[in-house]
Amino acid sequence: MSPNICGYTTLHRNDTARAAHRNGTDGAPPSAVQPGHTVQSAPASLPLYPSVSTDSHSHRCAPIPLKFPVTAPLLPCAWLSSVPPRCSQRLRARLVCEPTSVRMVFEWVSVATPPAAYGFEDPCLARAVRALCFRDGQDLIPNLSHYVIFGGHEIRNYTFIGIISSVRFLQPCMVMIHADVLPVGSFWDTLVRLIPHLIHVQRSAPSVIFGHPVKVIEHSSDIARLEAVKKFGGVYQDTDYILLNPVEDLRNYSVVMGKTIPNMNYCNCIFMGKPAAEFLNVWHDSYRTFNDKVWGFHSTIMPYRIHQKRPELAFHEVNNFVTPYFANIRKLFYDNFLDWKRLHGLHLYTRLFPRYFRKRFDQQNSSLGQVTRHILFGDSGELCYVNK
């Protein structure tokens, strides 16, 4: 990858200096920080990452900044020419919880160093969310991103695109990966190099809930994602879900979900909630009647029925979270007929259409190709398209 992978060398430096002045820090660039040393952030207002490069002198990965213009390019057009980026050191975030304060600090580590790990019940995680992920009490839902990935498998290109879309449009305080074993593969290695504030939340796949056995791994994931948002709040996304626009207009609701099939269910491929929202509590409690042999009932149909029976519970329904759904996604999405710019996001349904995900997305002449260029390259993305 090119040395200026994020395209923001000047912007990083100027905005970091302003953040340093605002927060009373010295704003020293990472190039002045030795391996193993830290670049600290303020607890309530995380600054941008300072200017870094992957040149031959420093061999340091250039991370995606915490804040950036939402239309800006995040990667060079030739991003697949070097996956993962060639560098020996990367920035890694870790949490420091003290009796009266919580901080997130960034340190230079070897690229082989995994993300900082914390147990699901570690009180430091909940404290960090309260301290770092709300905008001065303005929002009910913290600006926090969740993914559930069990089994330590190799992640695919669509998961890479999905997580980058979360970073672009949420610009979250943390990207929490809830996993027993971390994923592997070149796309995972690239994500770790690009996203310093990626945090490993250690937990096993739920195998029982309210005394009922859970053997289907998809059901374990359903439970884990609900418990993650219920405990911490934030935005959950499936590994094959792509955000297309910011969701700031939805963060003042208690819980947000979108329909899949009208008058039947909501999709838990993406949903948002505040910590301990009453709707999430009732939804989780409904698993007392869970049956592992019934596909998707408690994860999609049950939240719809709860909303119908308990309209007094704070809940907001959106129509453009999961549009189009699987019945018409082939024609509208993959064949270049979808007006995707009006949507909050897209569920790719990769299990139903695996053949569409074997090619390089950013060079496809399709809505999928347009979306990928939009995520990786911003408003200038179509300039990266080469029709071969």
Side-chain angles (χ1 to χ4, degrees):
M1 286 191 175
S2 63
N4 188 19
I5 190 172
C6 300
Y8 283 112
T9 301
T10 302
L11 179 62
H12 290 179
R13 185 179 299 115
N14 292 342
D15 283 0
T16 300
R18 287 195 289 271
H21 175 75
R22 216 172 31 243
N23 298 321
T25 61
D26 59 11
S31 58
V33 182
Q34 298 303 312
H37 291 198
T38 61
V39 180
Q40 296 191 2
S41 69
S45 179
L46 298 178
L48 302 178
Y49 296 124
S51 171
V52 293
S53 70
T54 55
D55 60 38
S56 59
H57 297 290
S58 66
H59 300 288
R60 286 175 169 169
C61 301
I64 295 175
L66 279 175
K67 299 295 179 183
F68 50 87
V70 73
T71 60
L74 298 184
L75 297 169
C77 291
W79 69 280
L80 273 180
S81 63
S82 178
V83 179
R86 295 187 181 96
C87 49
S88 59
Q89 297 175 26
R90 69 176 185 87
L91 276 179
R92 183 182 79 153
R94 61 183 177 86
L95 304 175
V96 178
C97 288
E98 297 171 336
T100 59
S101 67
V102 178
R103 294 175 293 131
M104 178 180 285
V105 299
F106 298 95
E107 58 191 356
W108 287 107
V109 297
S110 164
V111 291
T113 306
Y118 303 87
F120 183 75
E121 299 295 341
D122 190 327
C124 188
L125 277 180
R127 289 183 61 197
V129 171
R130 290 193 297 269
L132 304 174
C133 302
F134 290 91
R135 297 183 305 179
D136 301 323
Q138 297 179 32
D139 303 308
L140 294 177
I141 298 176
N143 197 22
L144 174 65
S145 181
H146 297 279
Y147 288 87
V148 174
I149 307 176
F150 292 128
H153 61 271
E154 181 175 357
I155 66 168
R156 299 286 302 280
N157 47 3
Y158 52 81
T159 299
F160 176 85
I161 302 299
I163 294 179
I164 294 295
S165 78
S166 176
V167 171
R168 174 180 284 284
F169 293 115
L170 295 181
Q171 300 190 16
C173 62
M174 287 178 277
V175 178
M176 289 187 174
I177 306 295
H178 301 258
D180 48 357
V181 180
L182 285 174
V184 296
S186 60
F187 286 107
W188 171 254
D189 292 340
T190 303
L191 287 171
V192 170
R193 287 157 170 76
L194 293 177
I195 309 172
H197 53 306
L198 191 150
I199 301 295
H200 178 195
V201 181
Q202 292 177 315
R203 68 168 303 175
S204 299
S207 59
V208 64
I209 185 166
F210 296 118
H212 301 290
V214 183
K215 298 181 180 180
V216 177
I217 190 62
E218 289 83 0
H219 292 164
S220 295
S221 176
D222 291 335
I223 295 166
R225 69 187 68 174
L226 175 55
E227 292 178 345
V229 177
K230 175 175 174 285
K231 182 176 180 64
F232 301 107
V235 182
Y236 168 81
Q237 289 175 232
D238 266 0
T239 56
D240 64 348
Y241 187 91
I242 296 178
L243 271 181
L244 298 174
N245 285 291
V247 295
E248 289 300 308
D249 58 321
L250 301 174
R251 288 177 57 200
N252 283 315
Y253 295 101
S254 180
V255 173
V256 181
M257 296 189 77
K259 287 182 179 178
T260 303
I261 302 175
N263 303 316
M264 180 176 177
N265 69 350
Y266 292 119
C267 187
N268 69 342
C269 59
I270 180 173
F271 63 100
M272 307 167 56
K274 73 173 186 177
E278 186 59 23
F279 183 94
L280 298 179
N281 292 335
V282 173
W283 183 9
H284 187 262
D285 194 63
S286 74
Y287 274 82
R288 294 182 183 277
T289 61
F290 175 71
N291 183 347
D292 197 45
K293 297 180 180 179
V294 180
W295 176 262
F297 178 81
H298 279 79
S299 59
T300 66
I301 296 176
M302 184 60 78
Y304 178 81
R305 292 187 176 182
I306 292 172
H307 180 48
Q308 298 303 307
K309 294 180 180 179
R310 301 283 305 276
E312 76 278 8
L313 299 179
F315 181 89
H316 181 67
E317 176 187 299
V318 293
N319 295 320
N320 56 0
F321 260 4
V322 194
T323 303
Y325 67 100
F326 65 87
N328 57 13
I329 194 171
R330 186 198 320 260
K331 176 181 177 180
L332 294 178
F333 183 44
Y334 299 107
D335 296 334
N336 222 347
F337 292 107
L338 178 64
D339 182 15
W340 52 266
K341 292 184 178 180
R342 65 183 176 84
L343 306 177
H344 273 113
L346 289 165
H347 191 198
L348 300 183
Y349 296 100
T350 55
R351 295 176 62 185
L352 300 180
F353 305 100
R355 67 182 181 276
Y356 291 110
F357 304 99
R358 296 169 185 163
K359 299 179 181 179
R360 179 172 166 172
F361 291 176
D362 62 322
Q363 293 301 320
Q364 288 189 23
N365 182 21
S366 63
S367 292
L368 178 58
Q370 293 173 8
V371 164
T372 300
R373 294 187 286 275
H374 176 61
I375 299 303
L376 299 181
F377 313 127
D379 275 5
S380 62
E382 288 309 304
L383 298 177
C384 296
Y385 175 57
V386 178
N387 190 3
K388 297 180 179 180

